[in-house]
Amino acid sequence: MRQLSRRGFIKVAALSGGGLVLSTQLSGCGSEAVLPDAAAGALRPNAFLQLLPDNSIILQFHKAEMGQGTATGMATLVAEEIGVDPLSLKLEHAVNHSAYADPDSMMTGGSASMKANFTALRQAGAVLRELVLSAAVQKLKVDRDRLDIVDGAIYLDGKDSGVRPGELAAIAAGLPVPDQSKVKLRDAADFRYIGHDSTRVDALAKVTGQAQYSIDQGWDGVAVAAVQRCPHFGGSLASVDEAPAQQAPGVRQVIRLEDKIAVLADSYWQARTAVALLKPKWNKGAAGGLNSAQITAQQRALITAGEGKQVRDDGKLPGADANWIEAEYRAPFMAHAAMEPLCCVARVTAQGVDIWAGNQGPDILAVQVAGALGRSKSEVRVHNAWLGGAFGRRLSSDFAVEAALIAQAAGEPVKVQWSREDDMQHDNYRPAAMTRFRAAIKNKQVVAVDAGMASPSLIAAVIPEMGAGYAPWMPEGMLKWVGGMAGNSDTTSTEGIVSSDYQFDAFHVRYVAQKQAVPVGFWRSVGQSQNAFFMESFIDEMAHAVGADPVAFRLQHLAEDSPRRRVLNEVVKMSGWGSAPPGRFQGVAVVEAFSTKVAQVAEISIERGSIKVHKVFCAVDCGLAVNPDVVRMQMESGIIFGLSAALKNAITIEDGAVQQSNFHDYQVLRMHETPEITVQIVSGGELPTGVGEPGVPPIAPAVANAVFAATGQRLREMPLRLS
């Protein structure tokens, strides 16, 4: 997190009614700006606290909550320092504003929310605490060291004084702001909430139906749109007879765009029924005829030809005197398949543009919508909501741009509701990928690893869109050029292999960014999602080739200071490695992703020719676990998500279009298929690291390695299938 000046970090402004607004500028914020809906001259922050006379404390949070516990973590950090229960805070989503000069401040991804904001959020709470206690000094006429805030009350000499913080808001608003760098944070030994299990702050609202998701946005009378989109990547609308839809009940308008046709009606079902009556003709475009087999063949040809860029070049590869083994691994395109399909409400007027949509990057979304409508970014206001899953899909702004264009063409506000089929067939997919490994063996020791990797570049795909948020001054053509250059050595596509800390005399990796028509985007755990499967499976192959136990081989080749050693040793103890019950078999994998170390052992059996996963043991080192229960939840979630990918999922392409459409042919793990999961948190530091994604990568290779132990068959392609 960049250094912030005291003046830029925090401001206090009195609200009407005697309330107190405490603004904290978190990572990546810009210069001072006017607070919308607050006192003139105040700064609109990335996250802020409001202390109101009725003793309410409002935390406006600048990250998306898609089920991963970010809101709970942020509330815990702030509440710990103030001296209140996190459940007592009222949460609101931050709205994009010119104060956010850097979209990283609002973007949610990379499992970075706690890691990036741990100190700043605590400082925000601590400053509020000190302001209130300074006001209490004046009111109670006592020394500061006799005071504290405990359970939301002002305590004097360890006892409730009867004074509540809200009573002091007006006094506190007139006091000098403490220097945030000098405000004392609570000692870890005194933590009541950080590091302890507590109820999620969003749990009650979600189980009682009070939480507002994208699908809940809108108002009575707003037009609802259903859309037919060209099924072929890069295709366009050729012609359509609109009459069948126009004559359907409740239909208001039919809107044509370049590659889609929208029907606006009084209700969703009317719009969906009417749009299904249309039989548009499509221009397939350049991707017509493209299929999955062609994409795989191109990847193989690119690797064979030695195309691409050398992205790791440690040591010198041996020659013919070594015994070389070789294996090719493949992973398919993957959809995000979040439980809540995409939805967006857009209102476009001469006064400005309002977008209501659960998303992972409000600032980026505002830039994209503004560009599509020919408006300035300052005219676009993005209202976030709870996300019913995302996994990277809502980092893309395409669905909001579409809704804004439809609303502009319609001349009225529009709610565009995607169906599950829309969501599945018009995603930005996890890239299909291939890695071909070679390993050199001398004297029963692996001395060298050489890998050739091919996949579409995520960086090349997302920079033209996301880069506009970071550098709005840069022309679109230049952004594409920058994306292409960066994509040649794409670290997001090669992470987990290029960054591996396994040690061999030589370790070479070549990467080629495949150019193809399927749209790609970030997916939960990004490149690690397939590269951990590739790397950790081949580690087992090398261990078998030299007759070594898979755990012992890993420990032999991990650097002495490798942070992965600790979780690997822990999961060995947890699982009783090497002593599986009769008829069951074990496989292991260990990964470092998003600064978090995770080791997993899968215990499986083969039943009627299918893979049955009975148990998964997971050891995780995520630094300081802000809420251990959330950490365990996220490991369990990642394992289940990863098992769906490992055993069931694949997006296949035919004639330039996605073949899958819903959960009947893109399945997720069912409850009866879910294994018993045991998670052990291994404390590894004073600061937290990410937990939303690192549970995903190890499970596929752990299962694949267990299958080899059971059958002697190497499964080198996901989803895993026994032959």
Side-chain angles (χ1 to χ4, degrees):
M1 182 164 57
R2 66 181 65 171
Q3 295 296 313
L4 302 172
S5 68
R6 184 171 29 150
R7 175 175 152 97
F9 178 77
I10 193 165
K11 290 259 180 202
V12 173
L15 287 177
S16 60
L20 174 68
V21 174
L22 179 64
S23 306
T24 174
Q25 189 170 18
L26 301 180
S27 57
C29 302
S31 59
E32 295 179 20
V34 175
L35 272 166
D37 309 319
L43 171 68
R44 173 63 188 258
N46 285 11
F48 64 83
L49 295 167
Q50 293 185 53
L51 170 61
L52 302 180
D54 66 359
N55 213 42
S56 299
I57 301 176
I58 300 174
L59 167 63
Q60 184 161 343
F61 61 101
H62 65 302
K63 296 293 185 181
E65 174 57 79
M66 61 193 88
Q68 82 281 37
T70 297
T72 297
M74 294 178 70
T76 300
L77 299 178
V78 169
E80 182 73 73
E81 293 298 336
I82 298 174
V84 299
D85 189 325
L87 291 174
S88 70
L89 297 179
K90 295 182 179 180
L91 275 62
E92 295 179 355
H93 291 89
V95 177
N96 68 302
H97 187 260
S98 58
Y100 306 116
D102 180 346
D104 247 357
S105 63
M106 293 197 78
M107 187 177 73
T108 305
S111 300
S113 295
M114 292 300 99
K115 178 181 177 182
N117 296 294
F118 179 75
T119 300
L121 284 168
R122 291 183 61 200
Q123 288 172 332
V127 169
L128 177 58
R129 180 189 72 227
E130 292 307 312
L131 281 168
V132 170
L133 292 180
S134 294
V137 167
Q138 292 188 13
K139 182 177 179 66
L140 300 176
K141 310 300 183 185
V142 297
D143 293 337
R144 163 64 185 85
D145 59 8
R146 298 175 62 189
L147 297 169
D148 197 2
I149 302 178
V150 180
D151 293 332
I154 307 300
Y155 269 50
L156 173 62
D157 296 332
K159 297 181 180 179
D160 189 343
S161 70
V163 178
R164 297 296 177 259
E167 301 172 41
L168 305 171
I171 300 173
L175 297 176
V177 180
D179 185 336
Q180 60 90 14
S181 66
K182 297 180 180 178
V183 172
K184 187 179 186 325
L185 301 180
R186 296 189 189 273
D187 292 333
D190 298 326
F191 285 166
R192 300 183 64 195
Y193 305 108
I194 296 175
H196 299 277
D197 291 345
S198 63
T199 302
R200 287 180 56 139
V201 297
D202 52 350
L204 182 62
K206 289 180 174 178
V207 300
T208 58
Q210 298 175 66
Q212 294 292 295
Y213 294 85
S214 294
I215 200 170
D216 301 311
Q217 306 306 304
W219 52 89
D220 289 343
V222 68
V224 181
V227 181
Q228 275 205 53
R229 301 166 184 86
C230 181
H232 309 280
F233 302 123
S236 60
L237 178 63
S239 64
V240 65
D241 177 8
E242 300 176 5
Q246 290 172 333
Q247 296 165 9
V251 170
R252 301 184 188 182
Q253 296 188 61
V254 177
I255 303 292
R256 298 192 196 194
L257 297 178
E258 181 182 2
D259 59 349
K260 56 185 64 91
I261 184 165
V263 173
L264 281 60
D266 296 335
S267 71
Y268 172 72
W269 190 243
Q270 288 174 331
R272 177 58 57 191
T273 302
V275 81
L277 298 174
L278 300 177
K279 306 299 179 185
K281 294 182 179 178
W282 305 104
N283 297 315
K284 293 183 180 180
L290 179 69
N291 61 46
S292 295
Q294 292 171 347
I295 293 170
T296 299
Q298 184 190 28
Q299 290 177 342
R300 187 172 291 118
L302 290 169
I303 293 173
T304 301
E307 297 283 346
K309 183 176 180 180
Q310 198 76 23
V311 290
R312 180 165 180 170
D313 194 8
D314 299 345
K316 184 178 180 180
L317 295 176
D321 59 328
N323 175 36
W324 288 87
I325 62 172
E326 184 174 311
E328 178 186 283
Y329 284 86
R330 300 183 298 279
F333 291 105
M334 298 289 287
H336 293 84
M339 290 306 296
E340 179 197 15
L342 294 169
C343 181
C344 180
V345 179
R347 181 175 62 196
V348 181
T349 68
Q351 289 71 41
V353 180
D354 283 278
I355 299 292
W356 289 266
N359 70 97
Q360 294 175 251
D363 202 81
I364 296 168
L365 188 149
V367 170
Q368 291 295 306
V369 168
L373 300 184
R375 308 286 286 261
S376 68
K377 175 187 170 184
S378 62
E379 295 180 88
V380 181
R381 186 175 174 89
V382 181
H383 310 265
N384 215 336
W386 301 106
L387 280 60
F391 314 121
R393 176 62 178 100
R394 288 175 167 91
L395 271 172
S396 299
S397 305
D398 57 329
F399 68 105
V401 168
E402 174 188 83
L405 289 170
I406 293 171
Q408 178 175 256
E412 64 175 316
V414 176
K415 179 176 183 176
V416 181
Q417 176 64 60
W418 291 44
S419 67
R420 172 63 58 198
E421 289 77 11
D422 295 335
D423 214 38
M424 193 74 71
Q425 297 184 325
H426 299 278
D427 202 346
N428 291 328
Y429 303 92
R430 197 281 304 275
M434 178 184 292
T435 294
R436 182 181 299 161
F437 287 106
R438 298 191 307 145
I441 300 173
K442 287 185 177 182
N443 301 320
K444 295 187 176 181
Q445 295 291 324
V446 175
V447 295
V449 173
D450 182 28
M453 306 179 67
S455 69
S457 167
L458 282 169
I459 291 296
V462 303
I463 277 184
E465 176 178 2
M466 298 179 65
Y470 288 86
W473 46 268
M474 189 177 289
E476 181 181 357
M478 185 176 291
L479 283 171
K480 290 182 178 179
W481 179 83
V482 170
M485 292 297 292
N488 290 332
S489 53
D490 186 348
T491 56
T492 65
S493 295
T494 62
E495 61 185 353
I497 296 180
V498 167
S499 58
S500 172
D501 66 347
Y502 284 119
Q503 293 189 328
F504 304 97
D505 293 345
F507 198 153
H508 287 199
V509 182
R510 176 171 288 273
Y511 170 73
V512 55
Q514 180 189 24
K515 294 178 174 59
Q516 48 80 60
V518 182
V520 297
F522 293 116
W523 193 83
R524 192 175 185 180
S525 74
V526 198
Q528 289 274 11
S529 65
Q530 73 268 6
N531 293 338
F533 168 61
F534 299 164
M535 188 74 207
E536 286 296 299
S537 295
F538 192 61
I539 287 290
D540 256 49
E541 293 212 41
M542 291 187 286
H544 180 73
V546 298
D549 173 80
V551 170
F553 184 84
R554 284 172 169 81
L555 291 171
Q556 177 188 352
H557 289 281
L558 281 172
E560 286 299 322
D561 59 351
S562 171
R564 292 195 287 166
R565 285 179 167 272
R566 191 176 181 194
V567 290
L568 180 57
N569 286 325
E570 182 65 28
V571 85
V572 164
K573 290 187 290 184
M574 291 171 61
S575 64
W577 176 257
S579 57
R584 296 190 182 180
F585 304 86
Q586 294 175 320
V588 67
V590 57
V591 172
E592 180 174 1
F594 309 99
S595 303
T596 292
K597 284 67 68 179
V598 182
Q600 292 172 5
V601 168
E603 184 179 296
I604 67 109
S605 67
I606 306 300
E607 299 183 2
R608 295 183 294 276
S610 297
I611 302 165
K612 171 68 175 177
V613 183
H614 295 274
K615 294 183 179 181
V616 176
F617 301 90
C618 174
V620 53
D621 176 359
C622 59
L624 172 64
V626 174
N627 185 321
D629 196 38
V630 168
V631 173
R632 288 188 287 269
M633 287 179 187
Q634 285 307 295
M635 292 303 108
E636 292 165 355
S637 167
I639 288 166
I640 294 169
F641 188 89
L643 279 173
S644 294
L647 300 175
K648 294 176 177 290
N649 298 163
I651 288 293
T652 55
I653 311 301
E654 187 64 44
D655 199 18
V658 170
Q659 293 182 288
Q660 289 69 33
S661 63
N662 209 314
F663 287 132
H664 71 286
D665 55 6
Y666 191 88
Q667 298 184 23
V668 296
L669 208 67
R670 302 303 202 263
M671 290 182 68
H672 73 278
E673 299 170 310
T674 302
E676 177 185 335
I677 301 173
T678 304
V679 178
Q680 179 65 45
I681 300 172
V682 180
S683 179
E686 298 179 354
L687 299 175
T689 56
V691 297
E693 299 170 88
V696 176
I699 188 61
V703 171
N705 293 336
V707 170
F708 176 77
T711 67
Q713 182 181 348
R714 285 289 176 195
L715 303 183
R716 300 189 179 104
E717 181 176 6
M718 292 197 291
L720 306 175
R721 294 284 187 270
L722 291 168
S723 60

